[in-house]
Amino acid sequence: MRLLVAQPNHEPHLEHLLKEMSRQDSFDAVLYPEGYVADEASVKTLCEVAKTYKKLIITGYRNSNNKDRALMIHPSGDIILERAKSPMDEQLYRPSVAEADGLSIGYLLCVELLQGYVGLEGQAKSLDFIAHPIGVGMFSEEQFELWIEEATRIAVKYNTMIIGTSHADGSYRNCGISIPISYWIDSTGQPIYISRNDTRSRMINLDTRQVNVLD
């Protein structure tokens, strides 16, 4: 599978994603950050986009109560994973795995990374990869290192790749500090790439482990 990993700014009308679809012959799926889809009406638009371009879309959206929710859309335009974000003091919500054309894909929404080590147990016999849409960048170098360490632990435990990406703009609770992050860690816990403060999109090939940074 060829996956486009994007780090857009927050925006209301999917402009970045629609522009990236011009590269449609180069990828099979896209990974966009938590909350990239600004409202429920845009979810319907995104389903049509997935169907038109025949692309798997992995991201997150904001509902009418301004709450983040998980979202994965099949190339047919059908939603195959949709749920609330897990509260931090509870277990990871289910489903956190979706099946798409023979692939078993794990899903962790932003801070759910800290619940995934235990929370993904029993949801699939094996995972082809885990997608990790992140809302905004890290608020400190310490958090950056912690999340990479936790992603590495999860990759090794489930013997699978994990891929994460955040928005290029915004900060946690508007604290004014943000380190945009994008990463890909393989099933042995080795980083294929870790991006800090480089918000260009990346085209990655899950089979060959190639990474191309896009202008």
Side-chain angles (χ1 to χ4, degrees), residues 43-162:
V43 173
K44 295 180 181 179
T45 301
L46 199 59
C47 288
E48 291 300 319
V49 170
K51 183 177 181 180
T52 297
Y53 291 98
K54 298 179 174 58
K55 305 298 181 187
L56 175 70
I57 298 177
I58 307 170
T59 184
Y61 78 98
R62 292 281 177 92
N63 67 10
S64 58
N65 295 319
N66 202 35
K67 299 293 185 181
D68 286 304
R69 296 184 67 88
L71 183 65
M72 195 182 306
I73 304 171
H74 189 270
S76 65
D78 296 325
I79 294 173
I80 55 175
L81 191 150
E82 193 282 336
R83 62 163 173 79
K85 185 176 181 179
S86 310
M88 290 183 65
D89 58 350
E90 297 183 17
Q91 293 295 311
L92 180 68
Y93 280 178
R94 297 186 177 213
S96 289
V97 175
E99 304 294 328
D101 298 331
L103 294 175
S104 183
I105 304 168
Y107 183 103
L108 298 171
L109 188 59
C110 200
V111 74
E112 288 183 347
L113 179 76
L114 305 180
Q115 297 153 297
Y117 188 79
V118 173
L120 287 170
E121 288 181 351
Q123 295 203 46
K125 290 183 179 180
S126 63
L127 294 169
D128 290 284
F129 69 95
I130 299 169
H132 180 212
I134 305 166
V136 296
M138 305 289 94
F139 56 73
S140 67
E141 290 290 342
E142 290 77 14
Q143 186 197 16
F144 194 107
E145 296 302 325
L146 171 64
W147 280 40
I148 292 298
E149 289 174 7
E150 193 61 24
T152 300
R153 285 208 317 145
I154 290 170
V156 172
K157 177 174 180 176
Y158 295 101
N159 190 33
T160 194
M161 297 177 282
I162 181 168

